[in-house]
Amino acid sequence: MARDSRKNNDQRVPKGQSKPRGHHHVPLMLQGAWAKPAKGKLPQVDVFDKHDSRSFRTSGENIMLGRDFNSFDDGEMALSLEGGMGKIEDQASKAIQRLRIERSLADLAAEDRAAVCVFAALQRLRGLGIRAQMLDVDAQIRARLREGGDDPDTIPQLAGGQDPEQIKLTALMLIRNNLDVFAKSLALKAMFLFQPPRGRTFLLGDSPVVMSNSTDHSPYGNIGFEVEGIELYLPVAPDLAIGFWCPTLVTFMETALNQCETSLRNTAAAAMFGIGPEVLKLRGMRADLASREGRIRQELAHIGAGTPVQWDSSNLDYVNSLQVAQAERHILSHDGDFALVRRMIADNPAFRGGPRSMLQ
């Protein structure tokens, strides 16, 4: 993996100046909403370690961080994004705290929306997961080359591909050079708020911005910021999450609402005046349509008003399962309930790690 020798004077660490050491990849301003007061201690979070199926309680100061995680220095090049990331977190923190209190996007200023988008893009790009995926792809390429009788160590483009420091530099350069592109993509999405059923809470993984897409784009992949139908979710509190949807999904909901309304109008007379078993089926179908119409209408009303869409347990389990599947190692729970995590790992041990790409 070739090193990019470009330097940015604003991001370099002057020689002789001490650097910050413990760098969070999920910042305390986000973790803090999952923390609880602890007698004589800093606020504590309940954590599940997917690697060894162990749960424990600790301060957010000790979790979801790494030594010099956001800085690189090999003696020839020094690059630190920690300061810039801190500014992004500070700007987003005010907006997110306002969302937690007011529970509405309606009065969120344009600059606050932008700050949330930049922060969400940053959280998608940094973390353990993306670096683990880079290492894994390099390992697959090397294995494929060896299978064909080639020596991967003779290929200059793969130099340093299994060196964690070089992987870190590549990941940092990805953020430095592309963060604005990803943030602009999020700004063009439909932004919503969601809340879980009473008594249930969102999990928070170490890759907190999760992605999903139910649209089939075969034979191509369907996960990507610009892929039609993409959904992204960022929990910002145990009882509140931000969603970023491809605008086509809102159009789909509006179309579905119109279809429900049309079907109800067209079958009203037959359901009212008809007789026989077929009418009973028709009335049952209309009851289902009316229920669906009411649900979609209510969700669209919340989306339009900027207030939280009320999710049921199946919706919550869906997003929480994404947090589990896409976390590389650690997951936070406000109430210490990790039953879903344990069940998913028992069903599929691959969930002990984060997602991996398979070379074709």
Side-chain angles (χ1 to χ4, degrees):
M1 187 173 296
R3 177 183 306 159
D4 189 327
S5 61
R6 290 173 293 175
K7 297 180 176 65
N8 183 318
N9 291 332
D10 293 335
Q11 296 167 314
R12 294 190 64 204
V13 179
K15 296 297 182 182
Q17 177 177 319
S18 62
K19 300 183 295 181
R21 310 301 289 185
H23 299 169
H24 281 86
H25 46 83
V26 178
L28 293 173
M29 52 76 79
L30 186 58
Q31 286 192 51
W34 276 259
K36 294 181 178 178
K39 187 175 181 180
K41 301 178 181 178
L42 292 171
Q44 305 281 292
V45 289
D46 285 296
V47 186
F48 190 91
D49 187 330
K50 296 203 302 178
H51 288 188
D52 58 15
S53 295
R54 178 175 63 98
S55 61
F56 57 94
R57 183 171 291 182
T58 187
S59 165
E61 297 280 355
N62 305 321
I63 201 70
M64 297 182 177
L65 81 166
R67 183 178 176 84
D68 294 331
F69 192 84
N70 300 318
S71 296
F72 173 86
D73 189 345
D74 66 353
E76 298 179 6
M77 177 180 182
L79 174 69
S80 178
L81 302 187
E82 177 69 1
M85 290 179 179
K87 292 178 181 178
I88 290 172
E89 293 163 11
D90 288 343
Q91 291 171 350
S93 179
K94 299 173 184 177
I96 289 174
Q97 185 60 21
R98 184 173 181 181
L99 290 177
R100 289 168 178 162
I101 295 171
E102 298 184 0
R103 305 184 72 80
S104 174
L105 291 166
D107 296 323
L108 199 64
E111 58 268 25
D112 289 332
R113 281 179 177 258
V116 170
C117 289
V118 174
F119 175 72
L122 176 61
Q123 287 306 122
R124 182 64 194 178
L125 293 177
R126 71 172 169 178
L128 297 173
I130 195 164
R131 300 185 188 185
Q133 291 178 58
M134 288 178 178
L135 283 167
D136 184 69
V137 168
D138 181 87
Q140 291 185 60
I141 292 173
R142 289 170 179 272
R144 188 73 60 85
L145 289 169
R146 291 189 185 99
E147 290 171 2
D150 297 313
D151 182 0
D153 291 333
T154 64
I155 300 177
Q157 290 85 349
L158 295 179
Q162 289 296 302
D163 179 356
E165 284 299 301
Q166 291 302 308
I167 290 291
K168 175 166 69 172
L169 176 60
T170 301
L172 292 175
M173 296 300 289
L174 172 67
I175 294 171
R176 192 189 74 169
N177 296 336
N178 298 282
L179 180 60
D180 61 333
V181 176
F182 286 93
K184 289 176 183 176
S185 178
L186 287 182
L188 295 175
K189 302 284 186 285
M191 185 188 296
F192 316 137
L193 296 179
F194 301 92
Q195 63 186 19
R198 185 179 298 275
R200 300 286 308 280
T201 58
F202 289 107
L203 298 174
L204 184 74
D206 57 24
S207 295
V209 177
V210 294
M211 302 175 69
S212 181
N213 195 335
S214 59
T215 304
D216 185 4
H217 290 284
S218 297
Y220 307 103
N222 65 349
I223 297 299
F225 271 54
E226 290 298 308
V227 178
E228 182 177 331
I230 196 67
E231 309 165 32
L232 300 97
Y233 301 99
L234 170 63
V236 294
D239 63 350
L240 189 67
I242 302 173
F244 302 88
W245 278 10
C246 173
T248 60
L249 296 175
V250 179
T251 301
F252 176 82
M253 291 178 66
E254 293 169 342
T255 300
L257 178 62
N258 290 335
Q259 290 173 342
C260 287
E261 292 171 339
T262 299
S263 295
L264 287 169
R265 282 196 306 270
N266 292 343
T267 57
M272 180 175 296
F273 300 112
I275 58 174
E278 293 303 318
V279 173
L280 294 178
K281 290 182 180 179
L282 178 60
R283 289 170 180 169
M285 181 197 75
R286 281 176 51 81
D288 292 340
L289 277 173
S291 176
R292 187 181 182 209
E293 179 205 27
R295 184 180 68 254
I296 297 173
R297 186 183 299 280
Q298 185 178 56
E299 290 178 353
L300 286 172
H302 281 296
I303 289 169
T307 53
V309 174
Q310 179 66 60
W311 270 358
D312 59 22
S313 291
S314 62
N315 297 134
L316 177 68
D317 289 343
Y318 166 65
V319 170
N320 277 348
S321 70
L322 295 177
Q323 289 288 328
V324 176
Q326 296 180 27
E328 185 62 30
R329 182 168 187 175
H330 294 119
I331 298 167
L332 306 185
S333 170
H334 187 255
D335 55 12
D337 182 358
F338 295 108
L340 176 64
V341 190
R342 296 182 187 278
R343 186 166 66 250
M344 288 180 63
I345 291 175
D347 291 342
N348 185 353
F351 287 135
R352 289 192 182 279
R356 298 291 184 267
S357 299
M358 297 301 296
L359 296 182
Q360 299 298 316

